[in-house]
Structures are given as C-alpha cells and as structure tokens.
Amino acid sequence: MLFHSIFFYFFSIIAIFSALMVITSRSTVNSVFFLILDFISIGCLFIMVGAEFLGIIILIVYVGAVAVLFLFVVMMLNVAQQKQSWFIGKKSSHIPFGLVVSVIIFLELLVVLGGWKYKENVMSSSNLLLNESISNTHQIGRVMYTDYILYFQISGIILLLSMIGAIVLTYQKRDNIKKQSYINQISREKLTSIELKKVEFEKGVKIDD
Amino acid sequence: MEYLDIFINEIYKIFFLVVPILVSVALIVWLDRRVWGFVQKRRGPNVVGPFGLFQTLADALKYIFKEIIIPASSNKIIFILAPIVTMTLALVAWAVIPFGENLVLSDINIGILYLFAISSLGVYGIIMGGWASNSKYPFLGAIRSAAQMVSYEVSIGIIIINVLLCVGSLNLTDIVLAQKNIWFVIPLFPMFVIFFISALAETNRPPFDLPEAEAELVAGYQTEYSGMMYAMFWLGEYANILLMCAMGSILFLGGWLPPIDIYPFNVIPSPIWIIFKILFLFFLFAIVKAIVPRYRYDQLMRLGWKIFLPFSLLYVVLTASFLFYFDMLPTKEF
C-alpha cells in the first residue's frame, strides 16, 4: 500500500504541476508539451486504479493523435513567440472569463461527484451489474455494445458529421491545377498515347489539352 | 524489503532484455548495410571484424568521441530531450514482447494496445527534434513525419482489429497461442501486406523516408544533430524497426511457434523461432530499402488514406461476417 500511495502522489503531483504549467508557461509550444505530460500522467493514474484499457486509450487517442495535431497547429501558426503574461505584468482580460468558466465547471463537478458519493440512487442513471472476474476491456465491450449501442453510434455519427463539416468548410475547388489521375495513367496504351498529327502550315498544333 | 527484492529482480530481468536488444540493433544496422550493398553489387561494410560485424561498434565509438553541437537559437531542453524520447520509447515497448510461452517481461492483458500506444508516441521524438532545432529543414521534416505517422497509425490500428477479431483477446501471448493451428498470415494475407507497408511508413523507412529525404531536406529532423545525439536517433530508429518486425511476427507469423508442430521443429527453443521471424521481416525491410525508389508525399498520403484505410475497413467487415456466419467468433470467457 505504501508503494501504491507513493506512485499515486508521484503521478498526481506531476499531473497538477503540468496542468498549472499549461496555463502559465510563456511559450505556447511548451504549454502543449506540458499538456502531453498531463495526459500521460492521467493515463498512468487510470492504469493505477485498474482501468488499464481507459488509460491506454487516453494515451493512444489524446497523446498519440489529438496532441500531435495540437502541436502541429501551434507550430504552424507560429504563435510560439506570443508572450503570455496572464499572471505577471499588466492586467489581462482573460482572467474574468477563465474564472467564470472554471467556477461553473467546479459547481458541475460538485453536483455530479457529490451526488454520486452521497445520493447514489438519485444521481446514477445506470443499473449496471459489473462482473469483477472479467477484464475491464471485456466489461466495457459488453456494456458499450449492448445497453449503450444507440448512444455509441450516435456519438460516432456526431463525430462523422463534424468531420464532414470541417472538410466542407475548408475545401476549395480550384480549377487550373494539374492533377494526377492514376486511372488514366495506368490505362494508357501505346496505341492511344501516341498520335500523329498533320501540322498545318503557319498554324501549328494545340497540345496540352 | 520485499519490495526491494522485487525491484532488484525486475531490474535484473530488464537488463537481460535491454542488452541483447542493443547488441542486436548494432548487428541489424550491419545487416541492413550489407544487404543494401549486395543488392547494388557492392560489398558493404566488410573490414572491421569478421565480415565487418563490428562496423557499427566502430561507428558508435566514433559518435561517442565527436562533439555534440547544440545550435545557439535552438530550444535547448527540448532539443536534448528529443533523441532521449525516441530511444526510450523504442526500448520500453519491448517489455511486452513474448519470446516464449512464459518468456515475457510483463504479461499485461492489453499488450497489443500498449505496443500500439508506444509506437504512436514515437512521433514525438521527431516533432520535438524538428521544432527545437529552430531551422527550416528539420521543421519541414518534422511536419511531414507528423502527418505521415498519424495517418499510417490509423491503418495499423484497423489491421490490429482484424487480428483481434480472430483472437478475442488483447494479450500478446493469447494472440500467439491462437495461431497454433494456422498462422494468421494465411487467412489475413492482404492485411499482412498492408501491415508491412504501413510499418515501413510508420518507421520512416524507404520508400517512405520523406521526413529525412536527403534530396529535399538534407537530413530532415536530424539535420542539426551531431555526435551521440544523432547516434541515439539512429539507434532508436533501428530499435523501432526491430519492434515493428517483432509486432508483425507476433500478429501474423505465429510468434514463437514453429511452422509445423513435428519433431525437428519443436525441439528448437521458442526464442530462436521468433528471432528467426524478426530477422526474416527485417530482411524484407532491407530489400525494400534497396530496390524501391522514394514515394512522393502526396502519393504517400493517398496510399494511406484512400487505399489502405478503405481496404482494411472492408476486410474488417469481411472477417467479422465470415467469423459470425461460420460461428467461429472467439467466445472465450475471461
């Protein structure tokens, strides 16, 4: 138990420290790196409480894909030079908004967690019977694809819609660009690719069409 | 005291796993250059030691004695961290690779997800190195590799789903034991081919070595690195390649199992079999490096997203329906 608590405090101190560094560090890229560190330590905490599937999924999805894209965007937009001076120096307009949002989140968490702790039969909307003997990957699979299949598929469709929306918003159809058509390239034959043209005097031929 | 015993015991085991891996990385670099040389009708490294086997050690010695140059305008912490991240991630993943029935450092029941997560974290070494160098070519290389590795992870993930459908467990030992009757390379042969190509792209090997394409980007994300830091990138890269070969041999080639369970084959110890399979896959990697020209970047993206992704998704549906129709879905209780 001693080792367990040592590791727990180790990971949670890293998680809290890096969460603070995300909002206070001066360069944006460093913020994203601290965010990654935060995700990793949260994943480790998940593994420590026995939810190894969720922990690894956090690593794969958030660290392996989402944070890479974050980093990508932050580096490409070149906002790394922008100095954040939220806590030091001149007054900032971000703090009131941040405070309001965080107070709301705190109250929500208070209601949900407090209700879950003290009034379980009021807050809980599920009546799952968890079998302790099977691994939690199987447990999640059994619940997600049977009782909650509708919610699962709806969330999938929402993700698909947002993806299509993003593509529609950013897609621009451009003419006048040369595109490689693989089908045309492969289906070229000797007979159709070479053509003998009779060149008229003082007119030439029109190629490249 | 009990904890200390466990701790020392584990360190002892880790030591006997890491040292052979580092040595085999050195030998594998030699093999790679040798195969490359033979394909091009050269001899390859053949001077240092018997058949030139110690060439990599000589190279490593040279790297150790070279000066490490850190660019003045780089972000120093991240610059130094990048090769360490690459090397560490390439080595930690070996913890779950089973070399025999009970010959595995940690037999966790989400082994394949762990492998997948670690290999998807590998992109950070490259991005960090490319960005922290504060130079154009490394940055371009880093951006290329970020997009490339994220896209090919998707198809690798779906290929893993294919295998998992046939196994019914995420544990690597279970995956190998499920191939006792038939290796998955036979029923899932198209997936094996796609896995192999995606592994080439995931480890930035030719023909997909665009992050370090020397014709366009000098050396990509490694441009500003020198001395031992460059060597660490290089070792990490080869350790990653070996890891991908190990993953391929576990998922498709039956891991430590012999091809047929009869007399002369089943007396050979299981680690020999898996090492032989890893070497076979690595030989393919080396041959591909020697004979295939480099892809263009848009072709690479097209291959990943427009061909591999739909095809492997289709194969998932096919595998699932086949298993369901013939009532062969694994329904092992855990």
Side-chain angles (χ1 to χ4, degrees):
Chain A
M1 233 32 228
L2 173 73
F3 264 56
H4 192 273
S5 31
I6 287 175
F7 278 115
F8 174 77
Y9 284 116
F10 178 70
F11 288 128
S12 37
I13 285 170
I14 290 180
I16 292 169
F17 169 74
S18 49
L20 282 176
M21 288 307 284
V22 171
I23 51 171
T24 54
S25 74
R26 296 215 153 204
S27 102
T28 331
V29 176
N30 283 358
S31 288
V32 180
F33 280 128
F34 276 113
L35 187 67
I36 293 162
L37 186 60
D38 204 15
F39 283 147
I40 292 176
S41 23
I42 296 293
C44 293
L45 283 175
F46 264 112
I47 293 172
M48 276 191 71
V49 296
E52 73 265 9
F53 184 75
L54 279 181
I56 291 284
I57 287 294
I58 278 185
L59 277 191
I60 292 174
V61 175
Y62 284 94
V63 183
V66 174
V68 173
L69 297 180
F70 267 22
L71 212 54
F72 205 79
V73 170
V74 167
M75 285 174 178
M76 291 289 278
L77 292 180
N78 206 11
V79 286
Q81 304 305 319
Q82 177 199 336
K83 291 276 183 286
Q84 295 180 342
S85 52
W86 290 12
F87 292 89
I88 322 129
K90 63 178 194 306
K91 271 200 293 182
S92 161
S93 59
H94 297 296
I95 291 178
F97 290 107
L99 275 180
V100 168
V101 171
S102 48
V103 164
I104 290 174
I105 291 175
F106 179 69
L107 287 179
E108 281 175 355
L109 281 177
L110 211 62
V111 170
V112 171
L113 287 180
W116 173 65
K117 184 95 167 57
Y118 295 108
K119 286 262 181 269
E120 207 173 332
N121 44 356
V122 180
M123 286 303 293
S124 173
S125 59
S126 75
N127 44 0
L128 295 177
L129 287 173
L130 292 182
N131 185 352
E132 288 292 324
S133 64
I134 61 174
S135 78
N136 64 46
T137 315
H138 286 82
Q139 255 169 25
I140 290 174
R142 280 186 183 172
V143 176
M144 194 187 269
Y145 298 110
T146 51
D147 299 351
Y148 293 95
I149 181 70
L150 194 62
Y151 306 102
F152 181 69
Q153 293 207 324
I154 286 173
S155 57
I157 287 171
I158 290 172
L159 281 177
L160 181 69
L161 274 179
S162 59
M163 191 177 87
I164 293 172
I167 292 172
V168 167
L169 282 178
T170 52
Y171 181 74
Q172 297 168 322
K173 190 153 177 67
R174 284 182 298 173
D175 304 322
N176 299 327
I177 50 166
K178 289 193 174 170
K179 268 193 177 172
Q180 196 176 7
S181 164
Y182 294 88
I183 306 289
N184 287 351
Q185 277 187 348
I186 295 167
S187 58
R188 257 162 84 95
E189 277 173 20
K190 198 177 164 191
L191 279 177
T192 53
S193 56
I194 301 176
E195 195 179 346
L196 203 62
K197 283 204 171 175
K198 198 146 180 92
V199 184
E200 281 185 55
F201 183 65
E202 281 192 339
K203 277 188 180 165
V205 283
K206 194 166 179 275
I207 51 169
D208 194 28
D209 52 355
Chain B
M1 231 35 238
E2 193 195 337
Y3 286 118
L4 206 66
D5 275 357
I6 298 174
F7 196 61
I8 289 169
N9 197 15
E10 287 300 316
I11 285 187
Y12 170 80
K13 281 195 222 158
I14 290 169
F15 185 75
F16 274 89
L17 183 65
V18 167
V19 170
I21 287 167
L22 287 177
V23 172
S24 54
V25 165
L27 294 181
I28 229 86
V29 174
W30 168 81
L31 178 70
D32 191 27
R33 294 174 64 184
R34 229 16 210 188
V35 171
W36 201 6
F38 279 130
V39 172
Q40 296 174 348
K41 279 191 145 183
R42 293 183 288 117
R43 295 235 175 115
N46 66 345
V47 177
V48 191
F51 307 107
L53 265 172
F54 300 142
Q55 180 65 48
T56 321
L57 294 183
D59 286 347
L61 214 62
K62 186 187 79 176
Y63 282 126
I64 290 172
F65 287 112
K66 281 206 168 185
E67 187 190 354
I68 293 176
I69 299 166
I70 298 176
S73 61
S74 65
N75 187 331
K76 289 183 186 57
I77 298 170
I78 296 179
F79 188 80
I80 294 171
L81 222 57
I84 300 175
V85 166
T86 308
M87 186 75 192
T88 319
L89 286 177
L91 289 181
V92 281
W94 286 90
V96 294
I97 300 285
F99 288 93
E101 179 87 48
N102 289 312
L103 221 57
V104 50
L105 200 60
S106 103
D107 193 16
I108 53 178
N109 51 13
I110 44 164
I112 190 71
L113 279 183
Y114 173 81
L115 268 188
F116 186 60
I118 296 294
S119 71
S120 70
L121 293 191
V123 68
Y124 280 111
I126 294 173
I127 297 188
M128 285 161 86
W131 179 77
S133 301
N134 202 0
S135 156
K136 286 187 186 64
Y137 292 130
F139 187 57
L140 284 174
I143 284 180
R144 277 187 178 188
S145 83
Q148 171 180 337
M149 288 172 89
V150 169
S151 0
Y152 278 85
E153 248 155 47
V154 177
S155 66
I156 286 190
I158 291 173
I159 291 162
I160 290 176
I161 291 176
N162 258 308
V163 174
L164 293 184
L165 272 175
C166 308
V167 180
S169 162
L170 297 169
N171 187 317
L172 287 173
T173 309
D174 285 342
I175 290 176
V176 173
L177 288 179
Q179 305 180 49
K180 256 206 160 115
N181 296 323
I182 186 165
W183 291 0
F184 287 146
V185 67
I186 297 165
L188 300 175
F189 184 72
M191 288 301 102
F192 176 65
V193 175
I194 292 182
F195 178 82
F196 181 73
I197 299 172
S198 305
L200 287 174
E202 182 79 4
T203 51
N204 299 326
R205 281 284 288 190
F208 305 115
D209 60 338
L210 289 148
E212 44 195 292
E214 67 270 2
E216 306 141 37
L217 295 180
V218 191
Y221 61 94
Q222 301 167 341
T223 308
E224 304 287 344
Y225 282 89
S226 58
M228 205 51 212
M229 285 163 83
Y230 172 76
M232 277 179 82
F233 260 131
W234 191 56
L235 284 177
E237 205 169 277
Y238 274 92
N240 249 330
I241 292 166
L242 269 189
L243 181 75
M244 275 294 168
C245 295
M247 206 164 146
S249 53
I250 286 167
L251 287 179
F252 292 102
L253 297 177
W256 69 79
L257 297 173
I260 13 174
D261 200 11
I262 51 169
Y263 167 64
F265 293 114
N266 56 17
V267 288
I268 298 174
S270 45
I272 306 271
W273 277 117
I274 187 162
I275 287 169
F276 181 72
K277 284 164 188 171
I278 292 172
L279 276 180
F280 169 71
L281 279 180
F282 184 78
F283 181 72
L284 289 183
F285 266 69
I287 287 278
V288 167
K289 178 179 183 173
I291 62 179
V292 182
R294 184 177 291 132
Y295 253 51
R296 217 172 53 209
Y297 197 70
D298 61 319
Q299 290 173 330
L300 171 85
M301 283 299 166
R302 175 180 167 273
L303 190 70
W305 287 108
K306 289 191 181 168
I307 298 176
F308 284 177
L309 184 63
F311 185 67
S312 41
L313 265 177
L314 184 76
Y315 215 83
V316 169
V317 175
L318 271 180
T319 315
S321 1
F322 182 86
L323 291 174
F324 186 74
Y325 187 75
F326 290 99
D327 205 19
M328 282 154 67
L329 275 173
T331 48
K332 193 173 151 195
E333 286 296 324
F334 287 88

